[in-house]
Amino acid sequence: MLRNWRDLQSLAYLLVQPALVLWQWQHGLSWPLYGLQLFLTLGIGVIHHNHAHLPMWRSKRLNRLSDTWLSVLQGHPTFVFHVAHNANHHRYHHGPRDVARTYRFGGDSNHLLGYLLHPLQAIGVLYPLFLRWLMRLRRHHPGAWRYCLQQYAAVLLTWSVLAWLDWRLWLLLVLIPQLHGLHWLLATNYLQHAHADGHSRLNFARNFNGALNPLLFNIGLHTAHHLHPRVHWSQLPALHAHYQARLDPRLQAGGLVPYMFKTYLLSLFWPRLRSRTLMRHEEN
């Protein structure tokens, strides 16, 4: 009943990550397993994102179960993608009407401090958006409103039970990895769009194409994803090849880790490695 057999990879992440939590809860912290768990929180954030664009299953019931499972694993309800991402970010492509556009916060930047702070800045503008949307749902679509609250309830119930069992293990094995995954999920917006041209129809996103990309469901091929948001992630490499020649070469960043190392660390010591904006004009 999967829409695409390649989502067996998604299912593997969704099962292995909680299995790692359970094993360490019973047997003690293992740094190699904890490292793998932290990496899987990144993958689960991308799965969460992909599922919001194109649900994994052909069955409505299985998609709803996946919504709940993803909410519990991510530590945040699935519905937020529809409000902040699908109806905002993909609608405006990092343009002036995108509420979490990177150049809204302190000007057009692309550096380490901006990367670290962007999730906190984005939350400040996104959560009012969520709350206003929920209030409209309550008035006009009470069934959908209750469904969204059920996702919050699933997260809070899971947290409460695990914290009651052992709050130290809950903090170490559940909450900190979830916060790590959520920070990455929001900071990815900065990686993909900072210093890109929010006024361009094509050069509004940075693309990564390294060894991590298949492990993170091709999320680095971001221009193709923006232009074809309902396409399954496994089809993005072919679409990226179609657009590649028309993209500004500065937005084809290669591997994610080398890009971050150069742009956010080495550039602190060698100014010539600093990122340069492609924005035609800056807007706060």
Side-chain angles (χ1 to χ4, degrees), residues 21 29 31 70-71 80 97 106 108 115 132 141-142 148 158 163 176-177 188 190 192 195 205 209 211 234 251:
V21 174
L29 179 69
W31 286 113
L70 282 163
S71 297
V80 299
R97 297 179 66 186
D108 186 20
Y115 168 77
R132 289 194 299 270
H141 303 282
C148 294
T158 304
I176 289 175
T188 298
Y190 194 86
Q192 292 165 333
H195 273 177
N209 195 359
S234 63
L251 294 176

Side-chain angles (χ1 to χ4, degrees), residues 201-219:
R201 294 185 177 181
L202 197 62
N203 289 313
F204 51 77
R206 183 172 291 104
N207 293 270
F208 300 96
N209 195 359
L212 285 178
N213 213 39
L215 297 176
L216 293 176
F217 307 94
N218 294 326
I219 193 63

Side-chain angles (χ1 to χ4, degrees), residues 136-202:
R136 289 196 299 270
L137 271 190
R138 185 181 182 183
R139 289 193 299 269
H140 303 295
H141 303 282
W145 176 73
R146 287 192 295 271
Y147 180 61
C148 294
L149 293 191
Q150 287 169 12
Q151 294 176 8
Y152 272 118
V155 173
L156 293 175
L157 178 62
T158 304
W159 281 356
S160 299
V161 170
L162 293 178
W164 176 74
L165 290 172
D166 191 321
W167 69 268
R168 293 178 183 84
L169 288 177
W170 166 73
L171 183 66
L172 177 64
L173 297 177
V174 178
L175 186 61
I176 289 175
Q178 286 178 340
L179 292 175
H180 170 261
L182 287 169
H183 183 279
W184 159 264
L185 187 63
L186 291 166
T188 298
N189 184 61
Y190 194 86
L191 286 171
Q192 292 165 333
H193 295 285
H195 273 177
D197 187 355
H199 303 280
S200 171
R201 294 185 177 181
L202 197 62

Side-chain angles (χ1 to χ4, degrees), residues 28-40:
L29 179 69
S30 164
W31 286 113
L33 294 183
Y34 195 66
L36 177 59
Q37 180 188 340
L38 291 178
F39 176 77
L40 290 177

